[in-house]
Amino acid sequence: MYKNGIYTILRNEPLTDAVWRMVLEGDTQWIAAPGQFVNIALEGRYLRRPISVCDFDERTLTLIYKVVGDGTEQMSRMLPGERLDLLTGLGNGFSTAVDTRRPLLVGGGVGVPPLYNLAKRLLAEGKRPSVVLGFNTAAELFYEEEFRALGCDVTVATADGSRGVRGFVTTAIAARGLDFDYFYACGPLPMLRALCEAMEQDGQLSFEERMGCGFGACMGCSCKALTGNKRICKEGPVMRKGEILW
């Protein structure tokens, strides 16, 4: 179930040249699982902007977004005290109700944020997640230290070798010889496909997709699955590895 509400900006700050973190105050009771997202209404924009929830507690939620167009550029100029209209509790999030003791979390670029609250939840359940973060260059890297502060074992991969393992996340997983029995991943489609092809273990994938409504009405964000077309905003963004048709 999703809910419409008004939220107040507490902080809005850059993490890198293009990636920003916004902390909002408001009703978070409709956010039930890590990996869900919110849909933000912006003045003068017809479509809302879907942004994954990085973290949340009883009264605040943290969003991390990349400035890639006019809408997100508009968000980056917003100041503390300004208010935003949000739909919250959208999408199907990650489930931790699986048989795993050594989960692996894999994030690529702006696919990293929803894994942060997931890591916190797994740790609270007594599980010990390893984390692999993939970026193009060291200049794009964010949240490495935040995951370390939680107590996660963190590996960084950069395509140009400027930080951590040179190559992609699959390269880093093989290079570190990481021991895991299940995986969670969020990132661009080529990364998710490469992970599924490289890994025997089962897992959950969070897909990135342009959306119209954000709650399943317009069918504009559908993908093919074993049981028919799935809406990324409704049946996703998180789906099981075995149900995706590549």
Side-chain angles (χ1 to χ4, degrees):
M1 178 180 289
Y2 66 90
K3 188 72 172 179
N4 183 225
I6 303 299
Y7 296 74
T8 302
I9 299 174
L10 299 179
R11 297 201 309 275
N12 192 26
E13 58 199 4
L15 297 177
T16 71
D17 287 345
V19 176
W20 286 66
R21 173 170 55 197
M22 179 181 284
V23 180
L24 297 159
E25 182 179 42
D27 186 1
T28 63
Q29 66 175 305
W30 305 100
I31 305 172
Q36 290 185 295
F37 66 96
V38 301
N39 225 1
I40 304 174
L42 296 173
E43 185 177 354
R45 311 289 172 183
Y46 177 68
L47 293 177
R48 291 176 179 259
R49 265 56 183 179
I51 307 289
S52 294
V53 174
C54 175
D55 199 15
F56 64 98
D57 57 26
E58 290 80 4
R59 288 300 300 168
T60 67
L61 63 102
T62 300
L63 309 176
I64 293 178
Y65 61 97
K66 186 174 183 178
V67 177
V68 294
D70 292 341
T72 44
E73 195 277 331
Q74 180 177 336
M75 286 176 58
S76 72
R77 290 186 276 105
M78 300 190 76
L79 301 173
E82 292 190 59
R83 307 178 81 192
L84 282 171
D85 181 303
L86 268 64
L87 298 179
T88 63
L90 293 166
N92 176 52
F94 291 110
S95 172
T96 61
V98 294
D99 185 17
T100 175
R101 301 304 302 171
R102 303 180 312 281
L104 174 66
L105 279 55
V106 186
V110 287
V112 168
L115 301 178
Y116 181 73
N117 185 264
L118 173 62
K120 291 174 69 172
R121 185 163 300 197
L122 290 167
L123 287 163
E125 294 176 1
K127 300 163 185 176
R128 303 299 298 177
S130 297
V131 178
V132 177
L133 307 177
F135 299 90
N136 289 318
T137 71
E140 298 178 2
L141 176 63
F142 64 90
Y143 259 55
E144 176 187 5
E145 295 308 318
E146 283 81 353
F147 278 103
R148 292 193 195 280
L150 294 179
C152 298
D153 175 48
V154 180
T155 300
V156 172
T158 53
D160 67 356
S162 54
R163 181 67 177 271
V165 178
R166 177 188 291 273
F168 302 117
V169 292
T170 47
T171 312
I173 293 167
R176 285 287 310 275
L178 295 174
D179 179 28
F180 61 97
D181 55 13
Y182 195 84
F183 75 93
Y184 298 89
C186 183
L189 192 61
M191 186 197 88
L192 299 180
R193 182 168 186 167
L195 285 170
C196 289
E197 291 173 349
M199 294 182 179
E200 296 181 356
Q201 294 89 338
D202 197 8
Q204 297 173 37
L205 313 172
S206 180
F207 289 83
E208 301 171 350
E209 185 59 76
R210 294 183 66 87
M211 296 178 186
C213 66
F215 47 82
C218 71
M219 300 297 292
C221 61
S222 298
C223 72
K224 293 182 179 180
L226 289 176
T227 55
N229 288 337
K230 299 281 188 178
R231 296 163 293 181
I232 298 297
C233 69
K234 185 71 173 180
E235 288 79 34
V238 178
M239 288 184 274
R240 292 184 298 104
K241 171 188 173 184
E243 65 181 317
I244 305 303
L245 289 177
W246 299 104

